[in-house]
Amino acid sequence: MTLIEDTRGRLGAWLPSAPLAPPPHVERAATRRLADAGYRSVWSGEGPGTREVFARFGDLLATAGDVVLGTGIANLWARRGTTAYQGGATLAQAHPGRFVLGIGAGHAFQAAKLGEDYRMRAYLSEMDAVAAENPAPVPFPRVPAARSFESTVETLLDLAVEVTR
C-alpha cells in the first residue's frame, strides 16, 4: 500500500497558514495534540507571507513522530522544481513514510508579481529531471493540485492522475 492509499479515507486535519502565524511553538503543540487525538495526517499550505513550507514541515515532522504531514500546497511560485524536489527528498529521508508533497500554482497574482510563466507540467518535468540524475534515497509521493489558474480543472485532473506517484 502506498502512503497516499494509506492516508486516503482516514481522518486528517488542516493547520492554518496565515502570514507568519501562528508561532512555531503553537504549531508544534497543535500537531502533537492532533496526533494524540488520533489524526493520521495533518496538512497545511504555503502562500504569500507564510513560512517556507519545507523548513516548517521539517520542524513539524520532528515534533510528532507518527503522523503523516502533507503540503496542500507547496507553491510552485516560491521555488524552482529542482529545489522542491530536493526539499521533498530531504524530508522523506529524514522522516520515511511521513511526508507528502502537494504542489500547486496558487493564485495568478503571484505569477504576475514574479514575472514568471511557469506551468505545472514544466515544473513537474524539472522535478523529474533532477530525480533521474539524483534519485531520492527514500521515495515520497508528489501530488499536483487539481485546481489552478493555469488551465481547466479537467486538464489538471488528467495531469494529476498521470504524474502522481
Side-chain angles (χ1 to χ4, degrees):
M1 179 175 295
T2 68
L3 180 58
I4 296 294
E5 292 166 337
D6 187 42
T7 58
R8 186 179 294 138
R10 304 226 179 158
L11 195 56
W14 179 263
L15 286 176
S17 55
L20 299 180
H25 72 280
V26 172
E27 279 194 329
R28 287 190 293 271
T31 302
R32 282 190 301 273
R33 282 193 310 274
L34 290 166
D36 291 345
Y39 286 90
R40 176 72 178 101
S41 61
V42 177
W43 298 80
S44 193
E46 178 178 48
T50 62
R51 284 190 296 281
E52 197 280 331
V53 75
F54 292 102
R56 180 178 175 216
F57 274 49
D59 181 39
L60 295 176
L61 283 160
T63 297
D66 59 350
V67 67
V68 173
L69 273 95
T71 61
I73 60 168
N75 198 307
L76 65 80
W77 307 115
R79 70 196 56 78
R80 301 285 309 204
T82 300
T83 307
Y85 175 80
Q86 292 167 329
T90 299
L91 291 178
Q93 185 175 22
H95 308 281
R98 296 188 41 233
F99 178 68
V100 176
L101 177 57
I103 307 162
H107 305 282
F109 75 87
Q110 293 168 309
K113 191 174 181 180
L114 294 173
E116 296 196 29
D117 187 28
Y118 252 11
R119 297 290 186 230
M120 182 67 78
R121 187 174 296 277
Y123 193 85
L124 297 174
S125 293
E126 184 178 332
M127 291 180 76
D128 289 342
V130 175
E133 291 177 20
N134 301 299
V138 176
F140 61 96
R142 179 184 75 180
V143 183
R147 184 167 184 267
S148 170
F149 67 88
E150 174 185 343
S151 60
T152 67
V153 172
E154 293 78 21
T155 301
L156 283 172
L157 283 172
D158 291 341
L159 176 61
V161 168
E162 177 186 324
V163 301
T164 297
R165 6 172 188 241

